[in-house]
């Protein structure tokens, strides 16, 4: 057992060195993040199975539209919104305002801290988790999830209208 463990460790270190080149990439932290995502989806599936819930055979256009917009808005809120800065503060460092209530932050730390910082400050990274949670919510608690999606979609639409309004004020007469 120890020989196999040592061999696997050497192989993993060789792969990491070959992948990284000159950059220090936290592959171990990414592997943990992938494992956490697997555990998250497995937990959702397990809860669904215990409650006798199944994923829908098809998703209607309305649910899909709400899911798309809500995933986008929730991901941006968590990753970029100034009010969510305290949630990200242990993993990121404030850089400067990004405009329209958003901030730019850089990732702090090494290993798991760095990985969490990357994930929690990247709306693209968060979108996978948010969409998975929302789809799981549609299966487990559809009324509550649709209500949350409707709220997030309304906020996203309001944001778009605010930006259009501001841009229209600057148009020449």
């Amino acid at each position: 057992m120890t020989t196999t463990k040592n061999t696997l460790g050497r192989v993993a270190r060789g792969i990491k060195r070959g992948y990284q080149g000159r950059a220090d990439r936290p592959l171990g932290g990414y592997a943990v993040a992938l494992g956490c995502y697997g555990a998250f989806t497995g937990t959702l599936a397990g809860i669904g199975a215990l409650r006798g819930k199944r994923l829908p055979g098809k998703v209607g256009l309305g649910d899909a539209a709400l899911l798309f917009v809500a995933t986008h808005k929730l991901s941006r809120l968590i990753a970029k919104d100034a009010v969510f800065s305290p949630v990200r503060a242990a993993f990121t460092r404030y850089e400067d305002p990004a405009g329209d209530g958003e901030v730019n932050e850089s990732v702090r730390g090494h290993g798991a801290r760095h990985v969490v910082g990357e994930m929690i400050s990247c709306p693209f990274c968060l979108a996978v988790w948010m969409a998975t949670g929302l789809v799981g919510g549609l299966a487990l608690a559809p009324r509550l999830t649709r209500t949350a999606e409707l709220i997030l979609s309304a906020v996203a639409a309001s944001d778009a209208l605010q930006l259009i309004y501001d841009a229209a004020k600057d148009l020449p007469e």
Side-chain angles (χ1 to χ4, degrees):
M1 181 71 169
T2 303
T3 305
T4 303
K5 186 176 178 183
N6 289 340
T7 301
L8 289 175
R10 280 194 306 277
V11 169
R13 285 188 294 279
I15 290 170
K16 184 177 178 183
R17 277 191 306 276
Y19 173 78
Q20 288 181 176
R22 289 185 251 170
D24 182 23
R25 303 301 303 151
L27 291 182
Y30 293 148
V32 170
L34 289 171
C36 288
Y37 180 77
F40 175 58
T41 56
T43 299
L44 284 174
I47 291 169
L50 289 172
R51 294 181 57 199
K53 302 285 185 173
R54 296 181 54 185
L55 291 175
K58 72 177 198 175
V59 176
L61 185 58
D63 274 338
L66 283 176
L67 177 65
F68 300 159
V69 177
T71 297
H72 165 77
K73 186 59 189 175
L74 188 55
S75 299
R76 283 215 72 85
L77 275 173
I78 294 170
K80 293 294 198 179
D81 195 273
V83 175
F84 270 81
S85 294
V87 174
R88 299 184 302 269
F91 308 100
T92 61
R93 178 172 290 111
Y94 174 80
E95 295 291 332
D96 52 22
D100 302 315
E102 294 189 346
V103 296
N104 290 318
E105 296 166 326
S106 58
V107 177
R108 294 199 286 161
H110 302 282
R113 183 179 190 189
H114 183 90
V115 171
V116 172
E118 279 188 21
M119 291 186 65
I120 202 168
S121 64
C122 170
F124 299 97
C125 305
L126 282 173
V128 173
W129 292 76
M130 300 303 105
T132 300
L134 291 169
V135 169
L138 284 173
L140 298 173
R143 291 180 75 175
L144 177 63
T145 304
R146 282 187 187 100
T147 301
E149 288 176 336
L150 183 59
I151 291 166
L152 290 164
S153 296
V155 172
S158 175
D159 290 350
L161 290 172
Q162 299 289 356
L163 294 171
I164 290 168
Y165 179 83
D166 282 346
K169 290 191 309 187
D170 295 333
L171 292 175
E173 292 182 28

